[in-house]
Amino acid sequence: MSRISRSPSCADDLPDPEMLSVEQARKQILQSIEPLHAAEKLSLRNALGRVLATDISSPISVPGHTNSAMDGYALSGEDLPQDSVRSYQIIGQSFAGKPFNGQCTAGQCVRIMTGAVMPAGTDTVIMQEQVEVTGKDSVRIGDGQRAGQNVRQAGEDITAGATVLQAAHTLTPADLGILASLGIGEVMVRRRPRVAFFSTGDELRSLGEPLAEGDIYDSNRYSLYGMLKRLDVEIIDMGVVRDDEDSLRQAFIDAAAIADVVITSGGVSVGEADYIKPILEETGEIHFWKIAMKPGRPLTHGRVGNSLFFGLPGNPVAVMVTFYQFVQPALQHLSGAQPRPPLTVMATSTDAIRKRPGRYEFQRGILEQDEQGQLTVRKTGQQGSGVLMSMSRANCFILLPEKCEGVAAGETVRVQPFAGFV
Ligand code: AMP
Ligand code: MG
């Protein structure tokens, strides 16, 4: 089919050789980024969510001593009853933090609590529920017990000297617990990226200002703030910048001087891009991309001064979609973190979804689970790139690849849940 014979209404959505795919764009962005290397020392609590700058090896073994996994009675596995019930003398007790210092020999046992050190001469614990207490100092134990049972060996979790966490790992609550269990109170983490952002547009007003006819409140700066806040980066909000050449040039220069990353929204759509282009070319090295995606086709990417630059579209939903698909992985890479490709799941679409081939669509959906654990997804209504409520109501993106020609109700679609990603 020749280009001429295409109907004009479809031409927009047919594959365009000048367009980048979402995957190509993400790859090119990541390849252009060198992770930050500066590191700082933080106390354990302050290091939650931060990226480790070095490997961490354990100064001690965990557990430090062989200890009981149960409340019960400790004895030697060689001294267990054979095919009969036997009596044992209780010669003492070992509590967590208060060990028994004597030696246990044949016919003897020691009362022991969970976490208490195994006394000399013992290697096996009988649960207290399986023991018949026959006097103050005696118990009867039947057969069916196994030598070595109910005991945690010294070094079973971690051996001294072993690497417990690797550089580039992002610290989780469990990691804080691990580090504390090793007696480590401070860690070296990578410096957080500094991110400056501003909105562009003569129609934009900040909160608290009156709206003249045709004005709108600047919402992008708030959703951007929210998305950045979740990423644990340093945030510099530079406000609204008017569509005038000198103000824009100055804003780019100021932002690049203080931030590792500069993000703008608006001003990259056709027409407006021509206006911003010369300023960006003066201050840095910029690529104007058309990406085969919806929403969010225009994206500007490159450098202003020595800072990374992302010029996001102006439409509020497009800002969020392009942030999640490109800026978030870029910031994670810049912070030195291991890549964490977001989890996607398959779900049954309860809606029919209209789509033309040619662009990768990120529709906003509500993912639900029934009592059997089956996942279903439906759209959040109007999907226009200016309809921010479609994002507010959503808990996932419905991922519709370039080739997809629409979805019938009951068909399976791939979904990217926000939980753990947003
Ligand atoms: P632009 O890319 O500047 O042409 O903007 C595209 C659309 O998004 C226009 O309708 C703008 O009014 C709107 N828009 C741009 N920036 C913002 C913002 N910060 N907050 C809300 N809407 C915006
Ligand atoms: Mg604008």
Side-chain angles (χ1 to χ4, degrees), residues 276-293:
I276 214 168
K277 215 170 176 170
I279 305 169
L280 284 169
E281 278 163 355
E282 250 175 66
T283 44
E285 186 199 324
I286 309 292
H287 312 284
F288 287 81
W289 281 346
K290 273 196 287 177
I291 302 176
M293 69 187 288

Side-chain angles (χ1 to χ4, degrees), residues 9-86:
S9 63
C10 275
D12 208 25
D13 268 339
L14 285 167
D16 177 337
E18 284 180 20
M19 277 210 214
L20 283 174
S21 71
V22 171
E23 205 41 55
Q24 284 168 329
R26 194 182 292 132
K27 222 167 158 180
Q28 286 197 31
I29 289 170
L30 293 180
Q31 275 169 0
S32 73
I33 297 172
E34 184 61 33
L36 295 172
H37 273 288
E40 57 185 329
K41 191 185 267 185
L42 289 184
S43 67
L44 209 47
R45 281 200 182 100
N46 291 328
L48 181 65
R50 299 293 294 271
V51 178
L52 278 179
T54 58
D55 287 353
I56 293 190
S57 54
S58 178
I60 56 171
S61 287
V62 179
H65 307 276
T66 299
N67 67 80
S68 178
M70 294 284 176
D71 290 348
Y73 295 83
L75 44 65
S76 165
E78 286 179 5
D79 197 29
L80 283 172
Q82 309 286 336
D83 309 321
S84 62
V85 178
R86 255 183 73 189

Side-chain angles (χ1 to χ4, degrees), residues 16-182:
D16 177 337
E18 284 180 20
M19 277 210 214
L20 283 174
S21 71
V22 171
E23 205 41 55
Q24 284 168 329
R26 194 182 292 132
K27 222 167 158 180
Q28 286 197 31
I29 289 170
L30 293 180
Q31 275 169 0
S32 73
I33 297 172
E34 184 61 33
L36 295 172
H37 273 288
E40 57 185 329
K41 191 185 267 185
L42 289 184
S43 67
L44 209 47
R45 281 200 182 100
N46 291 328
L48 181 65
R50 299 293 294 271
V51 178
L52 278 179
T54 58
D55 287 353
I56 293 190
S57 54
S58 178
I60 56 171
S61 287
V62 179
H65 307 276
T66 299
N67 67 80
S68 178
M70 294 284 176
D71 290 348
Y73 295 83
L75 44 65
S76 165
E78 286 179 5
D79 197 29
L80 283 172
Q82 309 286 336
D83 309 321
S84 62
V85 178
R86 255 183 73 189
S87 279
Y88 293 83
Q89 184 200 0
I90 307 169
I91 59 165
Q93 50 194 26
S94 181
F95 289 170
K98 277 199 207 112
F100 173 73
N101 291 319
Q103 170 85 29
C104 189
T105 57
Q108 298 181 329
C109 66
V110 174
R111 174 82 172 120
I112 196 162
M113 297 309 202
T114 306
V117 176
M118 293 294 287
T122 72
D123 61 5
T124 301
V125 172
I126 316 296
M127 282 168 70
Q128 61 188 21
E129 293 82 354
Q130 294 171 2
V131 161
E132 185 195 340
V133 179
T134 47
K136 201 164 77 62
D137 297 326
S138 63
V139 288
R140 278 155 59 81
I141 297 170
D143 55 5
Q145 307 290 344
R146 192 174 42 77
Q149 72 187 11
N150 300 329
V151 172
R152 298 187 284 224
Q153 301 298 325
E156 185 178 281
D157 287 359
I158 300 165
T159 39
T163 301
V164 281
L165 296 170
Q166 289 186 325
H169 177 75
T170 302
L171 290 171
T172 65
D175 300 330
L176 298 196
I178 292 279
L179 293 168
S181 75
L182 304 179

Side-chain angles (χ1 to χ4, degrees), residues 257-319:
I258 51 174
D260 302 300
V261 181
V262 178
I263 302 173
T264 64
S265 71
V268 293
S269 50
V270 181
E272 289 203 318
D274 295 339
Y275 179 70
I276 214 168
K277 215 170 176 170
I279 305 169
L280 284 169
E281 278 163 355
E282 250 175 66
T283 44
E285 186 199 324
I286 309 292
H287 312 284
F288 287 81
W289 281 346
K290 273 196 287 177
I291 302 176
M293 69 187 288
K294 189 178 170 184
R297 177 161 32 181
L299 183 81
T300 311
H301 161 68
R303 296 195 167 267
V304 283
N306 291 318
S307 309
L308 269 176
F309 172 67
F310 293 94
L312 306 183
N315 273 312
V317 181
V319 168

